[in-house]
């Protein structure tokens, strides 16, 4: 489902409401996975812990010590199902007390501390402590715990919607604003966003409409949580014989569960990426690929299709109640793009350029297919089960590139060490492995992060790299604890978990990454560093809490390192010979960088236009819309009877009407990378400027301003067009609207 080079920053659905307190209560966290830290917690006396923390029956590690530096750590990964439920209840009770106190302030007694700061503190508490409730739903090996997390999220979502509709709190905050407090910086930004959240929540509506809106939002939230839970719990698979999997390398087959049946070996091929993708790329048997494609496109079809269509309808209804033309107009009000019309203009100006490339590439692939299947069997089209197979063959025949051969140079441990070394060099950081840290699974690694120059503790991150049943099925960074000030005056260091699904190690062979997986690793770890390097006063502006159509830009920029020869040499080490990629293979890889880039970017355009289309309508048949647009934009049809929209998790995971942001922000990322090309891709000086102007502000500065501060000008479009192979072509001369 994810186009090459994209990723997820995890957040949750709030029925279209952007109120940050709600987001903190119900989101499954953003971009990090953390193993046990080698740092031992320092026990505080009960008197030293304010009432809020003493009231929680589930104590967290209130403070940890990192080589003499005291920092706040409130994460727990060992709660049982009952404790998850109890913590959720106490979080809701404490938030209600805060909101009741704000609502009860008498006229003339409003201050920043008793009206705004208390809400900010509560957001911080909810943001991190809700990770203890919701994150297990994405990573726990125990279904009872995953179910408890989902149930708690549903309750917290309902409660969050109710709190976000409190007119008495809204009026109290408005009363404080009316005093003309003269706030500056993040204080002023927080108050402005808080009031905007309340207004977007519908608090200016009459009471009867507010109640109806609250009910609709609750229905949306419940449906979104169920949609995501269905995806996480999906166990779709096929048992296929060795002959049916002809062409799939032994290295891939060795990672499958297998069993003998009447003298034949059968393999269990799941719909997880490490199983599905190589099977589709290498299997020579078209009928097998068609079966796999059918299974993949049918995931959660019966359960999630009606959920998604109800969500889309209810979102539209909510948007119209709030005075917006469509749900997309509601969402884009707080994005860089500002309106769906601007996004449509962006696509309208970019698509003709991509189509020129895509049609040339399609003609080559069709010719390749005709040669492989023969004129008699050739159907003159690329089916949905064809593209990955012939995309690989294009690389092999035109560029002499073999993914399996290349993967032998990218063993997980060496790639991890290389990526960590590169990020430390560029960003001026130092990472230390914490082998005894508290983690949720034995596969997870934990690291502490320090500023290289000062030795200051910066935060922590976790790496959870391999698939397992019930685990979140894609690649994402989960911000478990955001870096910001907390109510006791201590700085709460950020903690992020990177959750992926790379191929597991096999007996006698380490986990080997394909080059595109190295790109994914670089990208997701970029989100981790965004969370670690940002410094904000309030949690709502911490880390990756930027505009949704900007948030991918920093990580997309860092994908470019995977195409630099000097970087590839550092990242590669053959798992047997320990030699780096040879020069001739390096040259072939770089030459193939833009192979089929027109078709691949057309897939990005398709997902974005599908998302925009369904969120500018009242009711929609998602299957027919998905399949029609896919064929129209990507030139590949869908397997009959499938509906891949039913497993399009972005639509219920915070990217509704926002998927365009992947391509939109990629335009900016190409311009950012030009600064590194000019100053040196491993330049610590350029890296520190990048850390200062792009990562450090988090969401405390608008994305457009961050770009201007780093570039010294407005972003340009030429670098992006050049990066995808459109340099010095007639198409380049036509402007793209952003």
């Amino acid at each position: 489902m994810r186009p090459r080079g994209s990723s997820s920053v995890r957040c949750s659905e709030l029925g279209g409401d952007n109120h940050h307190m709600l987001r903190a209560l119900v989101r499954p966290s953003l971009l990090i996975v953390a193993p046990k830290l080698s740092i031992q917690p320092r026990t505080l006396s009960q008197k030293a812990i304010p009432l809020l923390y003493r009231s929680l029956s589930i104590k967290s590690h209130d403070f940890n010590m990192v080589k003499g530096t005291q920092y706040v750590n409130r994460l727990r990964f060992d709660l049982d199902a009952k404790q998850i439920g109890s913590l959720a209840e106490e979080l809701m009770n404490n938030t209600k007390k805060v909101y009741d106190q704000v609502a009860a302030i008498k006229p003339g007694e409003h201050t920043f501390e008793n009206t705004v700061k208390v809400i900010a503190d509560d957001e911080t508490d909810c943001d991190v402590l809700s990770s203890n409730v919701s994150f297990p739903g994405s990573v726990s090996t125990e279904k009872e715990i995953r179910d408890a997390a989902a149930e708690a999220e549903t309750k917290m979502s309902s409660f969050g919607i109710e709190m976000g509709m409190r007119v008495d709190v809204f009026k109290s905050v408005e009363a404080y604003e009316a005093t003309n407090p003269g706030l500056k910086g993040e204080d002023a930004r927080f108050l402005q966003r808080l009031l905007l959240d309340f207004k977007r929540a519908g608090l200016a509506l009459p009471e009867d409409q507010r109640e109806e809106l609250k009910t609709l939002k609750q229905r949306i939230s419940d449906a979104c949580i169920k949609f995501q839970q269905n995806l996480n719990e999906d166990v779709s698979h096929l048992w296929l014989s060795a002959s049916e999997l002809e062409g799939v390398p032994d290295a891939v087959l060795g990672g499958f569960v297998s069993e003998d049946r009447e003298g034949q070996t059968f393999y269990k091929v799941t719909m997880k990426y490490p199983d599905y993708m190589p099977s589709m790329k290498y299997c020579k048997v078209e009928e097998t690929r068609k079966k796999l494609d059918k299974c993949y496109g049918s995931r959660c079809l019966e359960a999630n299709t009606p959920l998604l269509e109800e969500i889309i309808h209810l979102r539209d209804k909510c948007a119209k109640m709030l005075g917006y033309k469509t749900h997309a107009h509601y969402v884009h009000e707080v994005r860089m793009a500002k309106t769906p019309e601007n996004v449509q203009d962006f696509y309208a100006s970019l698509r003709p350029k991509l189509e020129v490339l895509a049609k040339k590439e399609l003609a080559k692939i069709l010719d390749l297919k005709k040669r492989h299947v023969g004129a008699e069997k050739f159907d003159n089209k690329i089916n949905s089960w064809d593209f990955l197979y012939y995309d690989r063959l294009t690389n092999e025949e035109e560029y002499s590139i073999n993914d399996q051969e290349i993967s032998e140079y990218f063993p997980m441990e060496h790639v991890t060490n290389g990526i960590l070394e590169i990020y430390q060099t560029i960003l001026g950081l130092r990472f230390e492995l914490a082998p005894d840290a508290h983690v949720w699974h034995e596969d997870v690694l934990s690291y502490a992060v320090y500023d290289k120059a000062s030795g200051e503790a910066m935060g922590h991150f976790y790496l959870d790299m391999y698939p397992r049943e019930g685990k979140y099925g894609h690649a994402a960074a989960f911000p478990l604890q955001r870096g910001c000030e907390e109510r006791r005056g201590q700085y709460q260091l950020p903690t992020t978990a990177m959750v992926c699904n790379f191929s597991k190690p096999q007996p006698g062979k380490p986990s080997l990454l394909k080059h595109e997986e190295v790109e994914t690793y670089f990208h997701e770890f970029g989100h981790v560093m965004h969370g670690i390097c940002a410094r904000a006063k309030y949690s709502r502006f911490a880390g990756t809490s930027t505009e949704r159509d900007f948030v991918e830009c920093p990580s997309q920029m860092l994908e470019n390192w995977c195409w630099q020869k000097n970087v590839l040499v550092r990242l590669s080490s053959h798992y047997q010979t320990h030699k780096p990629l040879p020069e001739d293979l390096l040259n072939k890889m770089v030459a193939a960088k833009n192979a089929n880039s027109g078709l691949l970017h057309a897939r990005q355009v398709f997902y974005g236009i599908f998302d925009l289309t369904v969120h500018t309508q009242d009711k929609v048949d998602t299957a027919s819309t998905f399949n029609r647009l896919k064929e129209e934009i990507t030139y590949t049809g869908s397997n009959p009877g499938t509906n891949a929209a039913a497993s399009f998790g972005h639509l219920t995971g915070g990217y509704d009407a926002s998927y365009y942001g992947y391509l939109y922000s990629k335009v900016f990322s190409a311009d950012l990378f030009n600064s590194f090309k000019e100053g040196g891709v491993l330049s610590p000086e350029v890296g520190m400027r990048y850390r200062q102007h792009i990562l450090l502000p988090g969401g405390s500065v608008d994305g457009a301003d961050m770009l201007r501060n780093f570039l010294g000008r407005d972003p340009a479009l030429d670098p992006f067009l050049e990066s995808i192979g459109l340099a010095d072509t007639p198409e380049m001369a036509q402007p793209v609207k952003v």
Side-chain angles (χ1 to χ4, degrees):
M1 176 64 71
R2 268 193 323 109
R4 188 167 71 186
S6 69
S7 73
S8 289
V9 176
R10 292 293 300 149
C11 67
S12 66
E13 169 64 39
L14 297 172
D17 192 340
N18 283 337
H19 193 288
H20 193 85
M21 181 275 294
L22 308 185
R23 203 159 60 236
L25 274 174
V26 303
R27 65 171 180 78
S29 299
L30 205 55
L31 294 178
I32 283 192
V33 175
K36 300 178 182 176
L37 297 174
S38 56
I39 307 143
Q40 296 301 314
R42 180 168 67 86
T43 303
L44 299 180
S45 68
Q46 284 291 90
K47 291 182 179 180
I49 303 175
L51 178 61
L52 172 65
Y53 303 95
R54 282 189 276 120
S55 69
L56 294 177
S57 59
I58 311 301
K59 295 292 189 295
S60 56
H61 299 158
D62 285 284
F63 287 94
N64 279 359
M65 297 297 294
V66 183
K67 296 192 175 179
T69 302
Q70 190 181 64
Y71 74 93
V72 179
N73 172 32
R74 294 186 279 173
L75 294 172
R76 288 284 299 273
F77 307 124
D78 57 356
L79 303 186
D80 60 29
K82 183 177 180 181
Q83 290 172 317
I84 286 173
S86 297
L87 179 55
E89 291 293 334
E90 295 192 56
L91 282 171
M92 291 185 284
N93 290 337
N94 285 318
T95 293
K96 186 177 185 305
K97 290 177 184 177
V98 169
Y99 273 54
D100 288 346
Q101 290 168 5
V102 172
I105 298 172
K106 297 178 181 178
E109 296 182 2
H110 290 89
T111 67
F112 181 78
E113 286 70 24
N114 70 11
T115 309
V116 180
K117 180 66 162 53
V118 291
I119 293 177
D121 287 341
D122 183 66
E123 285 187 3
T124 299
D125 296 335
C126 289
D127 191 64
V128 60
L129 294 176
S130 66
S131 293
N132 296 336
V133 172
S134 59
F135 184 58
S138 295
V139 297
S140 177
T141 57
E142 299 180 37
K143 190 175 189 308
E144 181 185 13
I145 289 178
R146 297 196 302 270
D147 288 346
E151 181 181 353
E153 280 196 77
T154 300
K155 290 181 179 178
M156 291 193 299
S157 174
S158 176
F159 169 79
I161 290 169
E162 182 180 349
M163 290 297 101
M165 300 294 288
R166 294 218 14 197
V167 177
D168 52 354
V169 177
F170 175 43
K171 290 185 179 299
S172 186
V173 176
E174 277 194 319
Y176 170 70
E177 184 199 27
T179 66
N180 297 315
L183 301 177
K184 296 181 179 180
E186 279 192 54
D187 291 346
R189 190 177 180 88
F190 187 95
L191 177 59
Q192 174 200 7
R193 296 298 174 86
L194 183 61
L195 288 167
L196 180 62
D197 285 348
F198 279 125
K199 291 172 183 175
R200 284 168 56 82
L203 298 192
L205 296 175
E207 183 177 358
D208 60 334
Q209 292 185 36
R210 290 199 307 272
E211 288 302 313
E212 182 183 0
L213 185 64
K214 182 167 69 173
T215 300
L216 294 175
K217 288 181 178 181
Q218 184 58 61
R219 288 172 61 188
I220 294 170
S221 179
D222 290 349
C224 286
I225 291 171
K226 184 61 178 175
F227 185 101
Q228 292 286 350
Q229 186 181 20
N230 289 341
L231 279 181
N232 287 347
E233 298 294 334
D234 179 70
V235 292
S236 299
H237 64 275
L238 294 175
W239 282 96
L240 298 167
S241 67
S243 60
E244 288 177 300
L245 291 169
E246 180 187 358
V248 178
D250 290 341
V252 175
L253 295 176
F256 295 161
V257 174
S258 63
E259 63 180 40
D260 290 331
R261 298 179 184 175
E262 299 180 355
Q264 284 195 74
T265 301
F266 280 77
Y267 296 92
K268 181 181 180 181
V269 184
T270 74
M271 297 301 105
K272 304 294 185 184
Y273 280 163
D275 290 6
Y276 175 77
M277 295 297 281
S279 298
M280 292 297 290
K281 285 185 175 185
Y282 287 97
C283 184
K284 295 180 179 180
V285 184
E286 181 176 354
E287 188 59 31
T288 298
R289 297 199 309 271
K290 187 175 181 179
K291 288 180 182 178
L292 286 166
D293 180 70
K294 177 89 170 182
C295 185
Y296 190 78
S298 301
R299 288 174 300 152
C300 304
L301 188 151
E302 293 186 4
N304 278 359
T305 297
L307 286 174
L308 179 60
E309 292 176 359
E310 179 189 29
I311 289 165
I312 290 167
H313 171 63
L314 296 179
R315 282 172 174 164
D316 183 77
K317 192 170 183 178
C318 287
K320 286 182 168 61
M321 287 184 67
L322 291 167
Y324 296 89
K325 185 178 178 181
T326 68
H327 179 69
H329 286 84
Y330 170 80
V331 169
H332 292 175
E333 180 184 35
V334 290
R335 301 288 190 258
M336 288 181 69
K338 301 305 180 187
T339 70
E341 289 76 18
N342 288 338
V343 177
Q344 290 165 347
D345 286 345
F346 168 67
Y347 280 136
S349 58
L350 184 60
R351 280 183 68 185
K353 306 174 193 303
L354 294 177
E355 285 173 357
V356 172
L357 277 180
K359 287 179 179 179
K360 290 178 181 177
E361 295 160 358
L362 182 66
K364 286 185 178 181
I365 290 180
L366 285 170
D367 181 66
L368 181 63
K369 179 179 178 180
K370 185 176 182 179
R371 286 190 282 113
H372 274 260
V373 302
E376 292 184 0
K377 294 183 178 180
F378 181 57
D379 58 4
N380 198 35
K381 59 184 178 181
I382 299 299
N383 302 297
S384 57
W385 55 89
D386 289 331
F387 180 76
L388 289 172
Y389 181 72
Y390 289 105
D391 178 53
R392 173 189 62 85
L393 282 180
T394 298
N395 282 329
E396 290 186 3
E397 294 197 4
E398 189 168 340
Y399 300 99
S400 299
I401 289 208
N402 183 295
D403 283 346
Q404 291 302 123
E405 177 188 0
I406 290 173
S407 71
E408 294 180 355
Y409 287 90
F410 293 119
M412 173 67 78
E413 184 176 356
H414 185 84
V415 171
T416 296
N417 291 337
I419 288 178
L420 298 189
E421 180 184 342
I422 288 167
Y423 273 94
Q424 288 174 95
T425 299
I426 295 171
L427 299 178
L429 302 172
R430 176 169 55 84
F431 304 150
E432 287 190 8
L433 181 66
D436 299 321
H438 170 58
V439 293
W440 52 93
H441 191 271
E442 60 184 7
D443 288 344
V444 179
L445 298 177
S446 175
Y447 290 82
V449 183
Y450 305 87
D451 179 76
K452 187 179 294 183
S454 68
E456 173 193 359
M458 296 285 293
H460 307 88
F461 64 85
Y462 302 98
L463 304 177
D464 187 353
M465 310 302 270
Y466 305 118
R468 55 183 177 269
E469 188 170 326
K471 179 183 170 183
Y472 175 75
H474 299 280
F478 288 75
L480 303 180
Q481 178 169 287
R482 299 176 194 267
C484 61
E485 294 179 9
E486 54 88 55
R487 68 175 67 235
R488 291 173 288 188
Q490 297 292 327
Y491 194 80
Q492 176 178 281
L493 289 185
T495 299
T496 298
M498 179 170 150
V499 178
C500 299
N501 285 273
F502 298 128
S503 299
K504 291 182 177 180
Q506 299 177 26
K509 182 182 289 187
S511 170
L512 299 176
L513 303 183
K514 297 175 181 60
H515 182 251
E516 65 185 39
E517 293 177 317
V518 177
E519 277 190 278
T520 297
Y521 198 148
F522 243 95
H523 180 109
E524 297 302 338
F525 198 73
H527 285 310
V528 173
M529 290 296 97
H530 198 170
I532 296 294
C533 292
R535 286 294 178 266
K537 184 174 183 179
Y538 300 114
S539 64
R540 71 161 53 205
F541 302 132
T544 52
S545 299
T546 68
E547 297 104 320
R548 181 63 60 183
D549 49 3
F550 175 78
V551 71
E552 298 296 338
C553 174
S555 285
Q556 287 172 328
M557 191 273 290
L558 291 158
E559 292 175 25
N560 289 283
W561 270 254
C562 298
W563 295 101
Q564 308 307 305
K565 290 184 180 180
N566 59 333
V567 172
L568 287 170
V569 169
R570 295 176 68 164
L571 289 177
S572 60
S573 175
H574 194 279
Y575 80 100
Q576 291 176 322
T577 67
H578 307 298
K579 292 182 178 180
L581 281 162
E583 183 71 18
D584 64 329
L585 193 51
L586 274 172
N587 291 334
K588 292 174 184 176
M589 289 175 63
V590 174
K593 175 179 180 290
N594 286 320
N596 293 330
S597 66
L599 288 169
L600 289 165
H601 280 89
R603 292 163 73 85
Q604 283 273 34
V605 171
F606 155 64
Y607 286 118
I609 288 181
F610 170 75
D611 174 31
L612 194 64
T613 299
V614 300
H615 285 115
T616 51
Q617 296 183 26
D618 173 14
K619 294 182 180 180
V620 62
D621 181 329
T622 54
S624 63
T625 303
F626 188 96
N627 297 336
R628 173 179 58 81
L629 289 173
K630 183 183 178 187
E631 185 163 11
E632 175 186 318
I633 298 170
T634 71
Y635 312 114
T636 58
S638 297
N639 212 320
T642 61
N643 182 17
S647 55
F648 193 178
H650 290 76
L651 300 185
T652 59
Y655 277 81
D656 45 298
S658 299
Y659 196 90
Y660 75 91
Y662 281 117
L663 194 52
Y664 193 78
S665 59
K666 196 169 185 178
V667 170
F668 308 132
S669 73
D671 201 5
L672 290 179
F673 182 63
N674 263 14
S675 296
F676 277 94
K677 287 199 294 186
E678 294 166 2
V681 294
L682 296 177
S683 167
E685 291 75 24
V686 181
M688 285 303 292
R689 271 204 310 118
Y690 172 78
R691 177 176 156 186
Q692 177 185 356
H693 293 299
I694 302 296
L695 302 184
L696 186 142
S700 65
V701 176
D702 289 346
D705 292 332
M706 285 189 265
L707 290 168
R708 293 188 191 99
N709 291 339
F710 178 78
L711 296 169
R713 55 170 171 76
D714 287 334
L717 299 168
D718 291 0
F720 168 70
L721 297 174
E722 180 181 356
S723 73
I724 63 172
L726 278 171
D728 301 322
T729 66
E731 298 78 37
M732 180 90 164
Q734 302 302 316
V736 174
K737 296 181 181 180
V738 179

